[in-house]
Amino acid sequence: MAATGSTAAGESAFYVTTPIYYVNDAPHLGHAYTTVAGDVLTRWHRQRGEKVWYLTGTDEHGQKIMRTADANGVTPQQWCDRLVEEAWKPLWSHLSIANDDFIRTTEPRHTERVQEFVQDLYDKGEIYRGGYEGPYCVGCEEYKSPGDLLEGDLCPVHKRQVEWLKEENYFFRLSDYGPRLLEFYESHPDFVQPASARNEVLQFVRQGLQDLSISRSTFDWGIPIPWDPKHVIYVWIDALLNYATAVGYGSDQAKFDATWPANVHLVGKDILRFHAVIWPAMLMANGLPLPGRVFANGWLMVGGEKMSKSNLTGISPRQLTEHFGVDAYRYYFLRAIPFGQDGSFSWEDFSARYTSELANDFGNLASRVAAMVGKYFDGALPELAAAGPAEQAVADGLAEAATRADTLIGDNLDFAGGIAAIFDFVKQVNGYLTEQAPWKVAKDESPQGRARLATILYTAAESLRAIAVLLNPVMPATCAKLWASLGAEPHLGPLADQRVGDAARWGQLPAGAQVTKGEILFPRLEDPKS
């Protein structure tokens, strides 16, 4: 985990959050999927030259955590400390997640602000005392309506029988906010994405909202209600506030003003209603600005079911990174699954894409260009002599790819589409080399032949320079190797300082740059059974 961004008074940050994840177990592919997506999005905006703030963290209160800790013979705090330090933070570091902050909901900077927020709502008359009885899923930490349940009183998410709870609670007047929410959705049509998620939220709110129970009195692992400590604050009220408390709500007004509201909340579709209904209503009630977007990604599926530890379908990301490498892992899930849709992980598909797209198309292009510059020009990048229509087509292809990728990834969160645009250009450069056949041109030792060879290899190397910039948010370690092999840094500066908006500006890599054939970017895969 690396802290890479900064905010200051008067500067507006592009603020992205992941859900804060329950620490009832170690992270699986589904958790990593959302976190990698947020990392790629924020790296992309950093390479636009923007101030960025990227937040992730852990949700550590609630009945599920308490029961898990009890089953393991430790206190809830001990369980959370162990999981965060031994599993969650190390995995994000392993996956090259460049988050600026990691919030834990057991930290005083969070718990104290949550109490203040809820007290403010109570003082405004937005919270009242009442009672509740109904079906409750501990896995979701959510009361369910009977119509939500599957046959046999099963939770539709966890496929496990819900419990029947009856307790005294405090309630938030959520029902008052239905009309205001619908008006907000109408005036901000991009607030909930993708379209399927927006339609779900609209239908849910139009049916009428019920007041929300915001406390629990049957267990004590949570933040106490400040005016009635026999109650703890409902974990979903507590959890949602992390997005505000982490950036200075109630404690650092300058930082809060420079960061809030979030530009994008990334969430799984199973927690969409909390973020697209309850969260904006809470903010409205306390007079705070609402976030720009709530984007619900789909589920990763195994055997037709959502991947989760409770269903024993969780797969450790390290099982894949040990075989494919970290950058290939980051690439695959965002390339293979359109963000916002469900997708099934397939070892065979991962292997096929690794070999075809990464090793053959991208890795082989970098390798053979470096080898030919070394063979024909002793590793010194030749000058672009006389560019013709073929070279202009490459430059035009780069401009189109860079523009499409910037819009698709940076604005639309269409990672699959943006990466595909870049790889279309990779294929175009491979096609250019095949058609121009520099290995044949090299046999012509006349000045015209040498000039033509120089033009071809410069065009290919300059294309790789741009590819390294555009793919850096997705595969930072691989692109750093490519940047070094092109000899780019002494002339152009560090790769992280390159701007995606300038990637298509042709002719940046200077003649004379020392091109070296470094290590293979994507080595041949070993048989996992061997």
Side-chain angles (χ1 to χ4, degrees):
M1 181 184 69
T4 59
S6 63
T7 58
E11 295 177 301
S12 179
F14 183 79
Y15 180 26
V16 177
T17 75
T18 71
I20 51 170
Y21 303 107
Y22 266 133
V23 289
N24 58 308
D25 210 326
H28 57 60
L29 293 182
H31 303 121
Y33 176 55
T34 308
T35 310
V36 168
D39 185 67
V40 171
L41 179 64
T42 48
R43 285 178 184 267
W44 193 276
H45 280 264
R46 285 191 188 105
Q47 286 193 222
R48 280 181 169 180
E50 299 174 20
K51 294 288 184 180
V52 168
W53 199 256
Y54 183 34
L55 174 70
T56 189
T58 45
D59 185 359
E60 302 182 7
H61 289 129
Q63 194 171 13
K64 181 162 59 174
I65 300 295
M66 185 181 70
R67 289 184 179 181
T68 302
D70 288 345
N72 285 273
V74 295
T75 68
Q77 189 65 64
Q78 288 172 328
W79 176 258
C80 294
D81 291 345
R82 179 194 303 173
L83 264 289
V84 168
E85 297 302 329
E86 297 180 5
W88 290 86
K89 287 184 177 180
L91 180 63
W92 294 163
S93 178
H94 174 67
L95 294 178
S96 302
I97 305 300
N99 52 296
D100 298 285
D101 195 4
F102 189 104
I103 182 78
R104 298 181 58 185
T105 57
T106 52
E107 296 178 79
R109 63 167 172 158
H110 175 75
T111 59
E112 293 170 4
R113 303 290 86 75
V114 169
Q115 287 185 308
E116 291 172 7
F117 186 97
V118 172
Q119 182 71 58
D120 287 345
L121 291 184
Y122 184 70
D123 293 343
K124 292 176 180 178
E126 297 283 354
I127 292 175
Y128 64 91
R129 189 168 184 161
Y132 194 89
E133 181 177 5
Y136 188 83
C137 174
V138 175
C140 294
E141 292 285 9
E142 180 185 16
Y143 278 108
K144 302 289 186 180
S145 67
D148 290 336
L149 302 179
L150 302 178
E151 185 177 352
D153 290 338
L154 302 181
C155 168
V157 175
H158 293 91
K159 307 296 194 298
R160 294 187 176 185
Q161 196 164 46
V162 297
E163 300 179 13
W164 193 268
L165 293 187
K166 181 179 181 180
E167 59 182 340
E168 180 187 79
N169 299 69
Y170 286 93
F171 287 79
F172 169 53
R173 300 183 189 278
L174 181 63
S175 60
D176 291 349
Y177 287 88
R180 287 184 62 183
L181 286 169
L182 291 172
E183 182 180 343
F184 178 78
Y185 302 147
E186 180 69 25
S187 61
H188 298 80
D190 294 332
F191 176 68
V192 182
Q193 293 183 331
S196 58
R198 172 180 165 81
N199 292 337
E200 176 192 327
V201 168
L202 287 173
Q203 181 179 6
F204 178 74
V205 177
R206 284 169 179 161
Q207 290 174 349
L209 297 177
Q210 303 295 316
D211 287 349
L212 176 70
S213 169
I214 61 105
S215 73
R216 296 290 180 268
S217 57
T218 54
F219 61 91
D220 61 1
W221 180 237
I223 301 174
I225 292 279
W227 65 88
D228 189 348
K230 296 190 300 296
H231 291 248
V232 295
I233 297 169
Y234 175 39
V235 66
W236 268 109
I237 300 297
D238 161 9
L240 289 166
L241 283 164
N242 90 92
Y243 306 127
T245 62
V247 293
Y249 170 74
S251 63
D252 187 342
Q253 192 63 40
K255 181 177 181 179
F256 189 70
D257 290 343
T259 314
W260 191 261
N263 295 78
V264 181
H265 288 312
L266 298 177
V267 303
K269 67 178 186 179
D270 52 328
I271 55 174
L272 173 64
R273 293 179 186 177
F274 296 106
H275 288 83
V277 180
I278 297 172
W279 179 225
M282 289 167 54
L283 294 172
M284 287 176 177
N286 245 346
L288 293 175
L290 271 59
R293 270 190 288 183
V294 174
F295 199 110
N297 62 258
W299 288 340
L300 294 184
M301 313 292 282
V302 173
E305 291 192 3
K306 176 195 175 190
M307 189 172 295
S308 72
K309 285 292 183 182
S310 59
N311 288 339
L312 303 180
T313 56
I315 297 174
S316 165
R318 290 181 188 266
Q319 292 175 255
L320 299 182
T321 60
E322 288 173 1
H323 184 67
F324 295 101
V326 169
D327 274 10
Y329 175 97
R330 290 168 59 96
Y331 168 87
Y332 172 73
F333 285 97
L334 295 184
R335 171 70 177 91
I337 302 169
F339 201 65
Q341 300 180 20
D342 292 344
S344 295
F345 163 72
S346 162
W347 189 282
E348 292 75 17
D349 185 54
F350 198 158
S351 297
R353 287 184 183 273
Y354 179 100
T355 300
S356 173
E357 299 172 6
L358 296 179
N360 293 349
D361 289 347
F362 180 27
N364 188 48
L365 174 63
S367 179
R368 62 177 178 159
V369 169
M372 286 189 287
V373 173
K375 179 178 181 180
Y376 301 130
F377 293 95
D378 295 324
L381 184 68
E383 290 188 12
L384 180 67
E391 289 70 47
Q392 186 60 52
V394 172
D396 291 344
L398 170 59
E400 180 181 355
T403 299
R404 282 180 52 78
D406 192 27
T407 299
L408 292 172
I409 294 175
D411 297 334
N412 300 343
L413 280 69
D414 182 356
F415 301 103
I419 294 171
I422 300 168
F423 268 76
D424 284 344
F425 178 65
V426 171
K427 292 178 184 294
Q428 181 181 354
V429 179
N430 275 310
Y432 167 80
L433 284 180
T434 299
E435 292 172 2
Q436 301 304 316
W439 49 90
K440 294 181 180 178
V441 175
K443 296 176 182 179
D444 180 358
E445 298 183 358
S446 69
Q448 294 83 359
R450 293 292 291 174
R452 183 63 196 149
L453 180 62
T455 294
I456 297 168
L457 293 184
Y458 181 89
T459 298
E462 173 67 355
S463 297
L464 285 169
R465 187 269 316 158
I467 291 166
V469 174
L470 294 173
L471 285 177
N472 186 51
V474 183
M475 296 184 282
T478 298
C479 292
K481 293 176 185 176
L482 176 56
W483 196 249
S485 76
L486 292 171
E489 184 160 349
H491 307 280
L492 303 179
L495 178 57
D497 293 342
Q498 308 304 305
R499 299 287 173 253
V500 292
D502 293 333
R505 183 164 52 81
W506 194 258
Q508 295 183 50
L509 199 58
Q514 288 299 305
V515 179
T516 57
K517 188 176 181 180
E519 60 183 288
I520 297 173
L521 298 183
F522 298 98
R524 187 174 67 86
L525 294 173
E526 298 295 329
D527 185 349
K529 298 177 182 178
S530 63

